């Protein structure tokens, strides 16, 4: 029991609770009265319970006031836990006293409202059962990712979000006025992670990344949680094996900790616990060939869009690696494939069931000449990247890394139609409020 005497609602359902007195506080999910009895569904972070109150026990003043408490109003209840087969969960709390903390105004959220209205009222909509379940799963996903990385002896570091140079190419960087000088919101922490490799060898960060992509697709946000990992002495195959271990570990962990939430959101926990490595691999060349047979006209050098990625994994329940992309398609820092100057040693991990890319990674070029050439090709100014090129002059070692879009992974795990359902306050081209 807490200092103030309040107990979590879940305690009302513990085996020895029947007949015991309990003091609760929480939010009203709904209420009605009939024949001098009030029925209130009360919610706290641990669950919900039916509270009943009789007019002759509570007194008319308290009874009438409680009847006027709105959905999402807040009350305190003293009562006794009783068995009632008609109540959800088979228990109810028979109130001896009810105090009102906040009667609330009429709650403006209903099922039938338009998506735009619901996005305007996002600060209230996030109390819905779907959102509550989603953000609990997200918390456990983040916990599982950190746990895995800690077990693999990867050190968490804290790169900046304000940067002086766009790392993934300028086209979708958010530019800012940094006290009169140009600045950017980070698209990736990668270059900073590479700088921290020499002393630590294995580093990761979890930061927001920003992309000024105007594309209104169900998988793009302008701000997303980016988990990025950088590993020294790592080649492509070791990186793919690391990614497989990570995805399998976090799927198993989330399924073990949140089975009820997963089921409520339409995902069978077994579908995550049966996930196993290795994941199939397909080169870009083989992927466009396969897409050609499926009727897509993708020629060498074209990027795989939403439709193409969807087609590659629609029928599969395992993620798929696509590797060795044409180098013009990818960022300047990627290492060329030995023996194949047309491609880079990169891999995207596509989610099963057509959900598309959730990880992008590569071996990093350690070749100063090649890096300068690629920077020139993309119109990057060598002066801006001078600090990054310095890393190749002092303790230059083979290394590889990747970035995971946390909301992309969660979107697949929870089978959400739109990525915005995986983040409480989605940022998209048309919206940065509330
Ligand atoms: O493939 P991307 O652009 O790769 C990088 O930024 C690398 N520098 C990461 C690294 O190697 N450290 O982005 C990585 C992942 C994507 O696979 C995707 O999951 C996610 O970040 N992502 C987005 N998620 C939501 N909305 C967007 N607009 C996203 N853009 C990328
Ligand atoms: Mg990518």
């Amino acid at each position: 029991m807490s200092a103030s005497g309040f107990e979590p609602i879940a305690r009302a359902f513990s085996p020895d609770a029947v007949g015991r007195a309990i003091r609760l506080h929480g939010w009203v999910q709904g209420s009605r009265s009939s024949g001098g009895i009030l029925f209130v569904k009360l919610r706290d972070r641990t669950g919900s319970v039916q509270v009943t109150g009789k007019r002759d026990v509570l007194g008319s003043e308290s009874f009438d006031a409680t009847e006027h408490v709105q959905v999402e109003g807040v009350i305190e209840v003293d009562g006794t836990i009783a068995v009632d087969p008609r109540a959800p969960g088979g228990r109810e709390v028979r109130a001896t006293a009810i105090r009102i903390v906040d009667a609330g105004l009429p709650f403006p959220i209903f099922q039938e409202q338009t998506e735009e209205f619901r996005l305007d009222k996002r600060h209230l909509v996030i109390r819905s059962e779907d959102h509550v379940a989603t953000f609990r799963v997200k918390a456990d996903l983040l916990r599982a990712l950190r746990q895995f990385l800690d077990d693999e002896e990867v050190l968490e570091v804290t790169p900046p979000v304000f940067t002086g140079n766009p790392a993934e190419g300028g086209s979708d960087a958010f530019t800012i006025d940094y006290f009169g000088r140009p600045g950017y919101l980070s698209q990736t922490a990668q270059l900073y992670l590479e700088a921290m490799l020499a002393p630590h060898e294995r580093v990761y960060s979890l930061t927001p990344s920003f992309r000024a992509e105007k594309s209104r697709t169900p998988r793009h946000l302008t701000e997303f949680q980016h988990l990025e990992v950088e590993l020294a002495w790592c080649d492509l195959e070791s990186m793919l094996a690391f990614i497989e271990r990570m995805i399998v570990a976090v799927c198993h962990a989330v399924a073990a900790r949140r089975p009820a939430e997963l089921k409520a959101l339409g995902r069978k926990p077994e579908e995550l616990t049966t996930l196993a490595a290795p994941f199939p691999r397909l080169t870009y060349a083989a992927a466009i060939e396969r897409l050609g047979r499926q009727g897509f006209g993708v020629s060498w050098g074209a990027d795989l869009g939403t439709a193409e990625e969807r087609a590659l994994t629609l029928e599969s329940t395992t993620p798929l690696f696509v590797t060795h992309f044409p180098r013009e398609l990818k960022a300047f820092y990627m290492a060329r494939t030995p023996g194949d100057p047309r491609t880079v040693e990169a891999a995207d991990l596509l989610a099963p069931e057509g959900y598309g890319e959730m990880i992008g990674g590569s071996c990093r070029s350690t070749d100063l000449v090649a890096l300068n050439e690629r920077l020139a090709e993309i119109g990057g100014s060598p002066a801006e990247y001078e600090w990054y090129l310095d890393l190749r002059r002092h303790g230059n070692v083979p290394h590889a890394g990747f970035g995971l879009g946390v909301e992309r992974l969660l979107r697949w795990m929870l089978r959400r139609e739109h990525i915005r359902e995986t983040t409480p306050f989605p940022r998209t081209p048309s919206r940065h409020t509330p």
Side-chain angles (χ1 to χ4, degrees), residues 211 330 348 357 359-360:
R211 306 284 169 103
K330 292 292 182 184
D348 281 358
E357 177 190 340
I359 287 181

Side-chain angles (χ1 to χ4, degrees), residues 146-163:
R146 285 200 160 102
Q147 182 70 54
F148 172 82
L149 291 161
D150 193 46
D151 291 348
E152 295 269 341
E153 295 181 35
V154 185
L155 188 80
E156 180 166 12
V157 297
T158 56
V161 160
F162 284 137
T163 68

Side-chain angles (χ1 to χ4, degrees), residues 84-210:
D84 185 341
R86 292 160 302 179
R91 302 262 172 102
E92 66 175 20
V93 172
R94 296 190 179 147
T96 51
I98 295 182
R99 292 171 296 278
I100 295 166
V101 177
D102 174 21
L105 294 176
F107 197 60
I109 308 302
F110 309 95
Q111 279 308 323
E112 311 74 30
Q113 286 152 337
T114 65
E115 193 54 33
E116 273 312 296
F117 179 86
R118 292 173 69 83
L119 287 166
D120 286 339
K121 296 282 184 201
R122 189 73 168 187
H123 48 291
L124 301 177
V125 165
I126 46 171
R127 300 181 196 186
S128 75
E129 283 175 18
D130 270 14
H131 284 119
V132 169
T134 299
F135 301 124
R136 290 188 181 173
V137 172
K138 191 174 192 179
D140 276 305
L141 173 58
L142 294 173
R143 169 214 285 269
L145 285 164
R146 285 200 160 102
Q147 182 70 54
F148 172 82
L149 291 161
D150 193 46
D151 291 348
E152 295 269 341
E153 295 181 35
V154 185
L155 188 80
E156 180 166 12
V157 297
T158 56
V161 160
F162 284 137
T163 68
N165 50 280
E168 288 293 318
S171 66
D172 64 6
F174 274 104
T175 54
I176 52 163
D177 174 0
Y178 197 78
F179 302 110
R181 276 168 296 152
Y184 304 90
L185 293 180
S186 175
Q187 299 160 296
T188 170
Q190 180 193 321
L191 308 192
Y192 296 97
L193 295 185
E194 287 187 67
M196 296 194 78
L197 263 199
H200 304 295
E201 296 185 42
R202 319 176 121 225
V203 292
Y204 81 93
S205 61
L206 178 60
T207 53
S209 278
F210 303 87

Side-chain angles (χ1 to χ4, degrees), residues 335-351:
R336 292 185 191 170
T337 311
D340 181 7
R342 291 205 304 170
T343 67
V344 282
E345 291 223 284
D348 281 358
L349 183 67
L350 309 187

